[in-house]
Amino acid sequence: MRIWALAWPIILSNITVPLLGLVDTAVVGHLPDSRYLAGVTLGATLFSFLYWGFGFLRMGTTGLVAQAMGRESDSDVRNLLGQSLIMALVIGSLLIVFASPLITLGLWLLDGSEVASHLAREYAHIRLWSAPAVLANYAILGWFLGQQNSRVTLMILLLTNSVNIILDLWFVVGLGMTSNGVAWASVIADYSALAFGGYLVLRQLSRLDGHFLRERLLALAAYKALFNVNANLFVRTLGLLFAVAFFTAQGARQGDIVLAANAVLLQFIMLTSYALDGFAHAAESLIGRAYGRKDWREFATTVRAAAHFSFWTAGVAALLFALGGNALIALLTGLEEVRATAAQYLPWMVVMPLIAVWSYLLDGVFIGTTAVREMRNSIFIGLAVYLPVWWLTHGLGNHGLWFSFMLFMLVRSAVLIFYYFAHYHRRYRHTHWR
């Protein structure tokens, strides 16, 4: 039950993230013109690159802190926080400095319509001011999760997304703003979360032994472990985000209605991913601790428990989408043409959780053991299948696009399964792991 005790606050907090996406989509989707939804979709996809590409600040911190907890090294736990926050603030500041060329390049790659791109540019220039706060929050969340403190993660994300949702409604519905209102709501929410997270960090540091070491925080060589882990995670995340951005860009080339319909259906994927990630994130912390202790019995128990909960969650998600998918589409947008278009591709959402469940589960295993090269390889092997298959099937229109995207997920899961059994079974076959 330990994995459930850690997972439920993560799942609850994760649910607020797609709910935020649902509110963003619903608020803008009910405006009288689909171009606003298309603009927010392009802008949000761009920030998947600019922000989520640095998600290693959460994942890498979690795995290394969990292993430090297994070694019972409070000094390492403390200094890993300092290193991660310094990296976050430096990267966030650089993103602001290079805002214009990054946004121009990103929108050129996404290749949306002229009207949607103009709205997305306005959205992006506002959102980018939150870069230091977003990346620092990644580091803080990873640090607490590595210490198996998932309730703090819940408090921070609940605050962030509650503020964001309230401001979304106030700015767009109350004040009559459009996509710019959605952007300003996100910026204010991100800095509110950083202030609250900073308070929680100071409180937790008072409970840890040791102190910050200048040589650990200021010497470049001291960042070797973080760099080694984070470089592969960064490349892996960019590959994953490229797959999503390529999907969005190809949808955009089919018109704003198809782009908007795909944006609605991508919220189904987000709902599923955040539910499955709850168990994966809990596994990261427990597996990292077991790895730090070299306790393979605990390692095996954690993997089995995470698998049990993940498979049940995927099955329930598939059933809910089959029975209530059209109702969810109607909730997300009032535009009849977008509703009808999204309904044509709803069957892909029913099979998606059953395909993707393995990749979410095994990501948690590999992050906990910081075996990130395998995660990186799975993405690029998947892309090597995804892109040629899209080219062969693009004559099928949006169905061909969804087919190739589902195949990408399937190949990624298969590669991770192969690595799991080839690597861990061979390594631990003479232990209690089996």
Side-chain angles (χ1 to χ4, degrees):
M1 294 302 293
R2 179 60 180 164
I3 195 164
W4 174 248
L6 282 173
W8 76 259
I10 301 170
I11 293 173
L12 188 57
S13 60
N14 282 347
I15 287 173
T16 69
V17 179
L19 282 178
L20 172 61
L22 295 178
V23 171
D24 282 350
T25 303
V27 167
V28 183
H30 282 85
L31 291 174
D33 195 321
S34 64
R35 65 193 175 107
Y36 294 114
L37 180 55
V40 170
T41 299
L42 287 176
T45 301
L46 176 60
F47 276 87
S48 293
F49 276 103
L50 294 180
Y51 286 168
W52 290 3
F54 299 101
F56 60 77
L57 289 165
R58 203 285 302 164
M59 294 182 286
T61 302
T62 297
L64 291 171
V65 168
Q67 292 176 28
M69 291 289 292
R71 297 191 303 270
E72 299 182 357
S73 175
D74 282 3
S75 179
D76 284 349
V77 171
R78 179 186 294 269
N79 284 285
L80 281 166
L81 171 67
Q83 291 176 330
S84 296
L85 285 176
I86 289 172
M87 290 181 66
L89 294 176
V90 169
I91 295 170
S93 299
L94 289 174
L95 289 177
I96 292 176
V97 170
F98 295 102
S100 292
L102 287 172
I103 292 171
T104 299
L105 175 62
L107 293 178
W108 176 75
L109 291 172
L110 290 174
D111 194 25
S113 68
E114 183 177 350
V115 173
S117 294
H118 173 75
L119 291 171
R121 182 181 299 276
E122 178 188 27
Y123 172 93
H125 275 288
I126 296 169
R127 277 290 306 274
L128 206 55
W129 285 104
S130 66
V134 170
L135 301 188
N137 286 334
Y138 285 171
I140 290 171
L141 291 174
W143 188 68
F144 277 114
L145 187 56
Q147 297 174 78
Q148 300 181 26
N149 197 337
S150 57
R151 296 192 181 190
V152 167
T153 301
L154 171 61
M155 289 189 289
I156 293 174
L157 288 181
L158 279 178
L159 173 70
T160 307
N161 296 313
S162 297
V163 170
N164 207 330
I165 288 171
I166 290 170
L167 293 179
D168 264 351
L169 296 171
W170 182 29
F171 290 165
V172 178
V173 179
L175 301 181
M177 300 173 73
T178 57
S179 50
N180 60 337
V182 175
W184 279 117
S186 297
V187 172
I188 295 170
D190 289 332
Y191 279 102
S192 299
L194 180 59
F196 181 57
Y199 161 74
L200 295 176
V201 163
L202 291 174
R203 191 175 66 174
Q204 179 66 11
L205 287 173
S206 67
R207 301 168 182 165
L208 295 176
D209 294 332
H211 55 277
F212 289 109
L213 302 174
R214 182 185 298 271
E215 59 271 22
R216 290 285 300 275
L217 300 181
L218 300 181
L220 192 61
Y223 286 75
K224 181 179 179 181
L226 270 177
F227 284 149
N228 286 342
V229 170
N230 290 341
N232 283 303
L233 285 174
F234 178 64
V235 173
R236 168 259 182 194
T237 303
L238 286 183
L240 181 59
L241 293 173
F242 169 80
V244 177
F246 180 84
F247 176 88
T248 302
Q250 296 308 316
R253 289 182 177 181
Q254 299 178 60
D256 283 351
I257 296 299
V258 171
L259 174 62
N262 284 349
V264 169
L265 293 177
L266 284 173
Q267 298 303 318
F268 286 62
I269 296 179
M270 295 298 288
L271 280 168
T272 305
S273 69
Y274 284 116
L276 293 175
D277 270 343
F279 301 112
H281 290 176
E284 291 170 20
S285 179
L286 291 172
I287 285 173
R289 184 183 68 173
Y291 190 80
R293 292 178 175 178
K294 305 302 179 185
D295 184 343
W296 311 123
R297 183 184 294 275
E298 181 182 349
F299 181 97
T301 301
T302 301
V303 173
R304 285 195 297 266
H308 175 83
F309 285 115
S310 296
F311 295 151
W312 273 106
T313 301
V316 169
L319 183 62
L320 288 177
F321 293 159
L323 299 178
N326 285 311
L328 182 55
I329 291 172
L331 179 65
L332 291 173
T333 178
L335 300 170
E336 287 299 330
E337 193 171 3
V338 175
R339 286 183 181 182
T341 302
Q344 296 178 34
Y345 308 106
L346 183 59
W348 294 111
M349 296 300 96
V350 177
V351 301
M352 177 272 302
L354 307 177
I355 293 173
V357 60
W358 281 98
S359 59
Y360 291 110
L361 169 65
L362 293 177
D363 274 354
V365 174
F366 292 137
I367 290 172
T369 59
T370 57
V372 292
R373 285 191 296 259
E374 289 84 349
M375 296 172 62
R376 177 202 65 195
N377 292 346
S378 73
I379 293 294
F380 286 94
I381 294 172
L383 287 174
V385 176
Y386 173 35
L387 298 178
V389 169
W390 165 81
W391 185 82
L392 292 171
T393 62
H394 73 275
L396 299 176
N398 207 40
H399 276 298
L401 182 60
W402 275 109
F403 172 75
S404 58
F405 192 58
M406 290 298 111
L407 191 59
F408 165 74
M409 292 185 178
L410 180 62
V411 170
R412 180 173 174 245
S413 294
V415 171
L416 288 174
I417 292 169
F418 169 80
Y419 275 127
Y420 179 80
F421 284 102
H423 181 60
Y424 290 107
H425 177 71
R426 175 176 55 81
R427 188 171 182 180
Y428 307 131
R429 64 181 179 272
H430 297 306
T431 69
H432 292 296
W433 177 84
R434 293 187 66 186

